[in-house]
């Protein structure tokens, strides 16, 4: 099978021909149909973070495909089903986090496309218990971005406890932001979308944002604070300035939800500001499998729109460059 492989941090991914993996006990072999390109994949491939994966590695944690074979202990009836292979691909199942529905915080978790090979290949194996069914009517090109960008923004809206009438500021209208706008509105929030590109701001309006602010020409935090301030700010752009703007945009008692990990580091939130203004700073990481099932159900019911642009596996390095240069309007998705 063809696979895009990280062989050295920051070097271009290598297109390789490698054997199709065998599904072991409790595993499924999935023939990939699509796999989204998340910024996390780029951070992993560049070794940007304190924890670096072992190489060689096949990235990809937005893989969607058809179960082609099953290993021991998996019902043969799973063959032919469409599944998504999200970031959390195994957990201990016994710790307090696992037992309380927070497997995504398990200290023994493994992550596809990071600790095991992921979806940048024609086939992938994964633990069947962590493969999430994709409902009929959700095409692979749309299911892939929902598998990380969708569930991450859905969870961020929940983590920010967005409720009816809340003023919600969404910083960054990319793969995460375009979905966060929709989830925040469904939770009853009034959305202000902030970006630095006119096209993305137009897109935010199409998705229902009540207000858009171009951060190149106006100070978004000043505008939002002059209107009373945001109840919830979602920092979804992968830049440190987005965090700073998001923090400053909040009203007293507001909530800042952090999701991205910019390569350049995160400016320390002003402790003085956070304390004296009663700001909550909340970290949120992807979401549970139940969250992903809900995200798929909303999409199958026509409640969300996903924009994705297909790319070929051979174009993966060019696609990384597009994402890094912010040239991608929304999610780029490798199609097989
Ligand atoms: Zn991701
Ligand atoms: Zn656990």
């Amino acid at each position: 099978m063809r696979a895009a492989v990280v062989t050295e941090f920051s070097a271009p991914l290598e297109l390789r021909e490698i054997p199709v993996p065998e599904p072991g006990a409790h595993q499924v072999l999935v023939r990939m149909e699509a796999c989204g390109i998340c910024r996390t994949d780029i951070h992993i491939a560049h070794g940007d973070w304190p924890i670096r994966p072992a190489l060689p590695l096949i990235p990809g944690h937005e893989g969607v495909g058809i179960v082609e074979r099953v290993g021991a202990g998996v019902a043969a009836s799973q063959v032919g089903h469409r599944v998504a292979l999200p970031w959390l691909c195994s957990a201990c199942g016994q710790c307090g986090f696992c037992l309380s529905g927070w497997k995504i915080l398990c200290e023994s978790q493994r992550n596809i496309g990071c600790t095991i090979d992921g979806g940048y290949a024609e086939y992938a194996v994964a633990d069947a218990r962590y493969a999430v069914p994709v409902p009929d009517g959700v095409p692979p090109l749309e299911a892939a971005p929902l598998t990380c960008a969708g569930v991450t923004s859905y969870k961020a809206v929940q983590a920010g406890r967005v409720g009816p009438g809340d003023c919600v500021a969404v910083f960054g209208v990319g793969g995460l932001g375009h979905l966060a706008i929709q989830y925040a509105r469904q939770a009853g929030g009034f959305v202000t979308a902030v970006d630095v590109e006119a096209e993305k701001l137009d897109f935010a309006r199409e998705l229902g944002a009540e207000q858009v602010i171009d951060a190149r020409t106006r100070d978004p935090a000043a505008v939002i604070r002059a209107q009373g301030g945001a109840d919830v700010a979602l920092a979804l752009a992968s830049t440190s300035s987005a965090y700073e703007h998001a923090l400053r945009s909040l009203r007293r008692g507001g909530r800042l939800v952090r999701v991205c990990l910019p390569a350049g580091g995160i400016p320390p939130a002003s402790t003085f500001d956070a304390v004296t203004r009663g700001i909550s700073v909340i970290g949120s990481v992807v979401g549970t499998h139940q969250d992903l099932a809900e995200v798929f159900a909303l999409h199958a019911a026509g409640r969300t729109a996903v924009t994705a642009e297909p790319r070929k596996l051979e174009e993966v390095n060019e696609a990384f460059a597009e994402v890094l240069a912010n040239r991608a309007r929304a999610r780029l998705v490798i199609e097989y």
Side-chain angles (χ1 to χ4, degrees):
M1 68 173 185
R2 288 174 309 134
V5 185
V6 182
T7 55
E8 189 184 333
F9 293 117
S10 292
L13 273 63
E14 263 183 42
L15 267 296
R16 285 185 177 176
E17 192 67 39
I18 59 174
V20 174
E22 286 289 320
H26 304 296
Q27 287 186 326
V28 285
L29 173 70
V30 177
R31 177 174 50 79
M32 282 295 144
E33 297 177 295
C35 184
I37 295 176
C38 178
R39 260 180 199 270
T40 293
D41 299 334
I42 302 178
H43 289 309
I44 288 169
H46 288 182
D48 283 336
W49 291 341
I51 300 169
R52 288 175 152 199
L55 301 183
L57 173 76
I58 300 171
H61 57 274
E62 286 191 349
V64 170
I66 302 293
V67 176
E68 198 156 284
R69 284 170 51 205
V70 297
V74 183
S77 58
Q78 288 218 15
V79 172
H81 287 197
R82 177 169 290 134
V83 293
L85 304 180
W87 176 246
L88 179 75
C89 64
S90 76
C92 80
Q94 292 162 5
C95 70
F97 296 118
C98 285
L99 292 173
S100 59
W102 281 94
K103 284 184 180 170
I104 198 64
L105 298 181
C106 176
E107 296 199 45
S108 305
Q109 70 181 273
R110 299 214 296 166
N111 304 110
I112 198 162
C114 184
T115 45
I116 69 164
D117 284 336
Y120 287 17
E122 289 173 307
Y123 290 87
V125 288
D127 190 317
R129 296 164 293 190
Y130 290 80
V132 178
V134 178
D136 289 342
V138 180
L141 189 68
E142 296 176 14
L146 292 171
T147 300
C148 177
V151 75
T152 300
S153 47
Y154 183 74
K155 196 67 177 176
V157 167
Q158 288 185 354
R161 304 194 309 280
V162 174
D166 279 348
C167 170
V168 182
V170 175
F171 289 81
V173 187
L176 289 161
H178 88 283
L179 287 156
I181 290 168
Q182 300 174 67
Y183 297 130
R185 293 190 77 247
Q186 286 175 20
F190 294 106
V191 173
T192 296
V194 181
D195 206 288
V196 292
E197 288 178 44
E199 193 188 347
K200 288 188 174 175
L201 293 169
D202 290 343
F203 182 39
R205 277 224 186 271
E206 285 168 31
L207 294 170
E210 276 77 15
Q211 172 174 245
V212 299
I213 299 174
D214 187 335
R216 289 170 309 180
T217 55
R218 290 194 291 170
D219 176 352
V223 173
I224 294 167
R225 283 280 282 279
Q227 296 168 346
D231 296 287
V232 182
L234 305 175
L236 304 176
S238 196
T239 63
S240 36
S241 65
Y243 282 97
E244 196 206 317
H245 285 309
L247 178 68
R248 285 197 295 115
S249 74
L250 288 166
R251 67 172 49 162
R252 290 182 170 239
R255 304 179 288 282
L256 169 66
V257 184
R258 291 176 146 185
V259 173
C260 299
L261 299 167
I266 299 168
S270 161
T271 306
F272 182 82
D273 202 42
V275 170
T276 56
R277 299 204 303 119
I279 302 295
S280 303
V281 180
I282 302 161
S284 183
V285 60
V286 289
T288 64
H289 287 186
Q290 179 58 32
D291 294 323
L292 181 53
E294 290 169 15
V295 160
F296 282 151
L298 282 170
H299 196 66
R303 300 276 290 274
T304 48
V306 173
T307 60
E309 290 180 29
R311 293 289 183 274
K312 295 190 175 73
L313 184 65
E314 296 73 27
E315 298 168 330
V316 65
N317 290 307
E318 291 78 7
F320 271 21
E322 277 183 79
V323 173
L324 286 174
N326 286 322
R327 291 201 308 271
R329 190 183 187 211
R331 213 49 151 192
L332 300 185
V333 176
I334 298 167
E335 268 194 327
Y336 295 95

